[in-house]
Amino acid sequence: MTALVVLVLAALPCLLHGRLVQEAEDGFAECNDFFLQGNPPHGFSDPTHARICQRYQGDKQFATLYSTEHKIPLYSAFLYREGASSMEGDWLLEPQLDDSKSSLDEATKGSEQIEGLGTNQALEEDYASSDYQPSPLFHRAPALLTNTVPLPQNFKEKWATDVDQLLKEKLVPQCGNGGNLHIIVGAVPSSNKMKDKVSIPEYVWLAAFCSVPEAWSLGVIKSVGDADNLEQVTLEELESRLPSGVKLFSNQCGEGAVSAEQRTSESATQTEDEGPARPGAFSRFFQLLFCITYEIVNNILCLVWFLVKQVLNLVFGRLYWIWTAATTYIFALSKVLLNIPCDVLRVLANILCGFVRILNNVFSAVCLLLRLPTRFLCDMASFPYYTVCAIPDVGIDILSGIWGVVALGFHAVFGAFGGSFSVASFAGSSFFSKLFGQSEGYENELVSLT
């Protein structure tokens, strides 16, 4: 037994880090203490429901069943503590709701890096520019957004006032100053959503159960559409108005639990009666002894069962994670090994395709060369020979042309001088002939020459 206790105490620090309760854990893990005899309500089964053990500054505060579909809590469970009050400051978020791999194991302000923030929970900015305020289900709790629902401002204030009055006037006085008072506060979501994301409750409710000195229960319902009306009902009637099959306090004695109103009425009746029946001192001693023995045995059995559950959760949880890690590693290794032959075949196929492309290019070049005309190839081959051999002839032709141009120039010059001399001679002869009267003879001579 001592070894078992030591093992559990050694395992508790690891378990206390589990803010978002895992599938392998029972109930709400270390927050099961907030429920009657450690048993959470039955009937709230849905894959979108997340079990949260709300912790802040190293201390567990309350347990919450949160709907990631509606982005509001379905219920939060509390164990009444005298002097508990809401904490002022920024609204806190649950990091592991959006990032299951987050190392943050407590509520945070959201300033840290959280992957996918706002995917599975409502954020403070979702309430901006709307007619609704983030309203805690139970205002005597830390300011956690996972414990809030969107409510109109006037309804929020009246709901807090109603709960305070109920605690002060009925619940705490009838339960030995609240030492064994279990409180579950919840909301029923509607189809109406704020910014098409956060569901607005149809109504909010509260259920209370006290086991000592006598078992009794109480339920209240307040419709969001009627802020002035608080409906007080029995626990059975409250459960009938919640989703089918819900049992809030699963281990309460059905017929033994009465409402707070009935208990108050019975106490007042006994006070007014004359000479109520009182048991003797000997009977009261045996009753006290029986109650003490019963509570001791009950607490010992509960402690043993709690230790056994924690050990089983630890063992099976570690085995589950080992099995998950091993299968993940084997799957990844098998995938890599299977990809090696595929990669080799892919490389060989690429090499073969490369050779095929090279051969195709070579054949294409050969075919292109074969399609060229033979005469064109011969002309291309003989072009250098004819070009070199034609150089002397071209040079001679160029020199002949130059010489012809020069000779033509000389002929033109000498012809111009000869013509000019002939014209001058003819003009002089004509002039002298006319001058000396020999024009006739000269003209006759000219005619004869002609």
Side-chain angles (χ1 to χ4, degrees):
M1 186 65 182
T2 304
L4 181 63
V5 172
V6 172
L7 180 61
V8 172
L9 291 177
L12 279 178
C14 298
L15 293 175
L16 290 177
H17 284 284
R19 293 276 291 106
L20 194 63
V21 181
Q22 305 299 322
E23 292 293 334
E25 297 182 86
D26 184 27
F28 286 74
E30 69 271 20
C31 281
N32 283 334
D33 297 341
F34 294 108
F35 300 98
L36 180 64
Q37 297 182 4
N39 294 289
H42 293 168
F44 293 92
S45 58
D46 192 283
T48 63
H49 294 172
R51 296 170 296 165
I52 307 174
C53 181
Q54 303 278 16
R55 295 174 59 238
Y56 182 69
Q57 295 182 351
D59 186 22
K60 56 187 179 183
Q61 302 292 330
F62 53 92
T64 296
L65 184 67
Y66 194 85
S67 173
T68 58
E69 176 185 0
H70 298 285
K71 308 294 187 300
I72 63 171
L74 297 179
Y75 67 76
S76 292
F78 302 84
L79 188 61
Y80 179 80
R81 290 184 294 184
E82 186 67 30
S85 60
S86 61
M87 298 182 183
E88 300 296 334
D90 297 331
W91 288 103
L92 303 178
L93 300 171
E94 171 49 52
Q96 294 183 355
L97 267 180
D98 292 323
D99 185 6
S100 59
K101 299 179 181 179
S102 174
S103 60
L104 302 174
D105 59 354
E106 287 190 347
T108 177
K109 295 180 181 179
S111 57
E112 295 83 357
Q113 184 64 28
I114 301 174
E115 185 176 353
L117 184 63
T119 303
N120 295 319
Q121 63 182 311
L123 305 178
E124 190 173 358
E125 49 263 33
D126 294 329
Y127 291 86
S129 302
S130 70
D131 297 331
Y132 298 92
Q133 298 290 327
S135 308
L137 288 176
F138 191 64
H139 61 282
R140 295 191 179 186
L144 297 169
L145 278 173
T146 48
N147 183 45
T148 62
V149 294
L151 296 175
Q153 180 65 33
N154 63 331
F155 188 95
K156 171 184 176 181
E157 296 173 355
K158 291 185 178 180
W159 172 247
T161 303
D162 291 339
V163 172
D164 273 337
Q165 186 176 359
L166 189 66
L167 287 170
K168 182 179 179 180
E169 296 181 358
K170 294 183 179 180
L171 302 184
V172 176
Q174 298 295 329
C175 194
N177 291 327
N180 294 279
L181 180 60
H182 293 272
I183 300 173
I184 301 179
V185 191
V188 176
S190 67
S191 57
N192 186 19
K193 291 189 176 183
M194 181 180 63
K195 296 187 178 181
D196 199 29
K197 178 182 178 179
V198 185
S199 294
I200 299 171
E202 181 178 354
Y203 53 87
V204 293
W205 53 269
L206 180 147
F209 190 92
C210 184
S211 57
V212 293
E214 295 180 6
W216 58 269
S217 61
L218 175 69
V220 293
I221 299 176
K222 192 178 185 68
S223 175
V224 175
D226 187 3
D228 297 323
N229 184 27
L230 181 68
E231 185 179 359
Q232 183 171 319
V233 296
T234 63
L235 183 62
E236 291 75 13
E237 185 178 354
L238 174 60
E239 291 173 342
S240 67
R241 296 172 65 171
L242 296 178
S244 178
V246 167
K247 201 72 172 177
L248 296 177
F249 300 101
S250 57
N251 284 348
Q252 79 260 29
C253 305
E255 281 76 17
V258 298
S259 67
E261 290 288 344
Q262 293 173 344
R263 176 171 173 79
T264 304
S265 300
E266 291 174 359
S267 299
T269 304
Q270 288 183 357
T271 303
E272 294 175 358
D273 289 343
E274 295 180 0
R278 295 178 179 269
F282 191 71
S283 300
R284 290 200 303 272
F285 173 75
F286 272 102
Q287 288 179 359
L288 178 61
L289 184 61
F290 175 78
C291 290
I292 293 174
T293 305
Y294 173 80
E295 290 298 330
I296 292 175
V297 173
N298 183 44
N299 290 330
I300 291 176
L301 292 177
C302 289
L303 177 61
V304 172
W305 175 237
F306 173 76
L307 295 176
V308 170
K309 286 194 297 183
Q310 296 298 333
V311 172
L312 292 177
N313 288 337
L314 176 64
V315 173
F316 286 106
R318 292 296 179 266
L319 291 177
Y320 171 77
W321 288 115
I322 292 173
W323 169 256
T324 302
T327 53
T328 303
Y329 175 76
I330 293 173
F331 176 77
L333 182 62
S334 302
K335 186 177 179 180
V336 172
L337 294 177
L338 290 176
N339 285 336
I340 291 176
C342 297
D343 294 337
V344 173
L345 293 176
R346 190 180 297 109
V347 171
L348 294 177
N350 292 334
I351 295 173
L352 182 60
C353 291
F355 280 118
V356 171
R357 292 193 189 96
I358 293 173
L359 293 176
N360 181 51
N361 293 333
V362 171
F363 288 138
S364 299
V366 171
C367 293
L368 181 61
L369 293 175
L370 293 177
R371 284 184 298 183
L372 294 174
T374 306
R375 186 173 180 179
F376 175 74
L377 294 176
C378 294
D379 292 340
M380 290 293 293
S382 61
F383 176 76
Y385 170 74
Y386 285 113
T387 302
V388 174
C389 293
I391 290 175
D393 295 334
V394 172
I396 293 172
D397 292 338
I398 292 172
L399 292 176
S400 298
I402 294 172
W403 173 250
V405 170
V406 174
L408 182 62
F410 277 111
H411 282 293
V413 171
F414 285 112
F417 277 110
S420 299
F421 181 75
S422 297
V423 171
S425 298
F426 177 75
S429 297
S430 298
F431 175 74
F432 284 111
S433 295
K434 289 180 180 181
L435 181 62
F436 296 105
Q438 295 181 358
S439 59
E440 183 179 353
Y442 181 80
E443 289 176 359
N444 293 331
E445 184 181 357
L446 182 59
V447 169
S448 64
L449 289 174
T450 304

